[in-house]
Amino acid sequence: MDTNRLEAFSDGVFAIAITLLVLEIKVPPPSTALGAELLHLWPSYLAYAVSFLAIGAIWINHHAMFKHIVRVDGMLLLLNVLHLMLIAFVPFPTAVLAEAFHRGTDEPVAAAFYGGILTVIGIFVNVMWRYAAHEYRPIDTRLTAKKVRKIRRLFLVGPIVYAIATVVALVLPWLAVLLFILLNLFYLWPRWGHRSTASHIGDPSTSRDRSEGD
């Protein structure tokens, strides 16, 4: 089948998950000094921003991936559902991270838990792309082998850096949060997936690149 229903369902899950992030930010009680309490909520603002950027970056690259994947089968549908299950879960580790920084305790555990979830999400992204790209199962046949390898390398950056940040979090949670932010900005930067694959039509290098293998 084509990818339209998969993309529509995925967009809905991404939209809900990214919207739920704001629910972790609680309105200060009426009996408190509003200005001070709003400033005191800075860990929630930070966790919200980091997760919003993370989900946004994942959505952009999910969209870019399915510019090249032109049809889906049962296995790809299953992998995407498992991927979305983790996306929908992101608001929970976000709340855990914010609460730990609010209390000033257990920050390493909270940051490692957060990073671990993002690492697994990154692994699922790689599994989906590798499954799709293997022998050009459901991807656009006009996509060159060179491009396939480039996309695969870009996707590998995610789980590797998230895994490193997860380990770092156990010792330096603030550094781990910085790594999360930097990786999100890296993936938010427009690149390979945001141009039409039409540019590959009639590309004389296509047959040469394919002969090199995947």
Side-chain angles (χ1 to χ4, degrees):
M1 66 182 75
D2 61 33
T3 64
N4 290 339
R5 292 190 66 186
L6 179 147
E7 291 183 81
F9 177 67
S10 299
D11 286 348
V13 173
F14 276 106
I16 292 170
I18 209 168
T19 302
L20 289 176
L21 294 173
V22 76
L23 298 182
E24 192 279 325
I25 306 177
K26 307 301 181 184
V27 176
S31 59
T32 59
L34 182 60
E37 285 300 315
L38 288 174
L39 291 175
H40 183 67
L41 288 173
W42 66 264
S44 294
Y45 305 147
L46 177 63
Y48 168 80
V50 174
S51 290
F52 197 100
L53 291 176
I55 295 178
I58 297 167
W59 174 79
I60 287 173
N61 285 280
H62 186 276
H63 172 71
M65 181 194 297
F66 281 91
K67 283 285 187 179
H68 300 307
I69 298 175
V70 294
R71 56 193 179 277
V72 295
D73 58 14
M75 178 57 70
L76 198 54
L77 286 172
L78 174 61
L79 291 172
N80 191 66
V81 166
L82 295 175
H83 175 245
L84 294 176
M85 178 180 71
L86 293 166
I87 294 297
F89 187 69
V90 169
F92 176 66
T94 301
V96 170
L97 183 66
E99 182 61 25
F101 280 107
H102 273 299
R103 296 196 316 262
T105 59
D106 298 322
E107 296 102 325
V109 175
F113 176 59
Y114 183 87
I117 297 300
L118 294 181
T119 300
V120 178
I121 290 174
I123 291 172
F124 267 100
V125 171
N126 278 268
V127 170
M128 282 195 295
W129 179 250
R130 284 176 177 270
Y131 175 81
H134 182 66
E135 297 180 353
Y136 287 83
R137 279 191 186 100
I139 64 174
D140 193 325
T141 56
R142 297 168 298 189
L143 194 64
T144 66
K146 181 179 180 180
K147 196 74 168 179
V148 169
R149 291 193 298 271
K150 180 180 178 182
I151 295 170
R152 184 171 59 197
R153 288 193 296 269
L154 282 171
F155 280 150
L156 274 175
V157 173
I160 291 173
V161 175
Y162 277 133
I164 292 172
T166 299
V167 175
V168 169
L170 296 172
V171 181
L172 299 169
W174 277 109
L175 179 57
V177 172
L178 178 60
L179 289 174
F180 298 150
I181 295 171
L182 292 176
L183 183 60
N184 293 336
L185 293 177
F186 169 78
Y187 276 120
L188 284 168
W189 189 261
R191 53 170 66 83
W192 57 269
H194 313 290
R195 293 196 297 264
S196 170
T197 56
S199 62
H200 298 289
I201 300 175
D203 185 348
S205 66
T206 301
S207 59
R208 181 179 67 253
D209 286 337
R210 286 192 184 282
S211 68
E212 298 174 1
D214 182 10

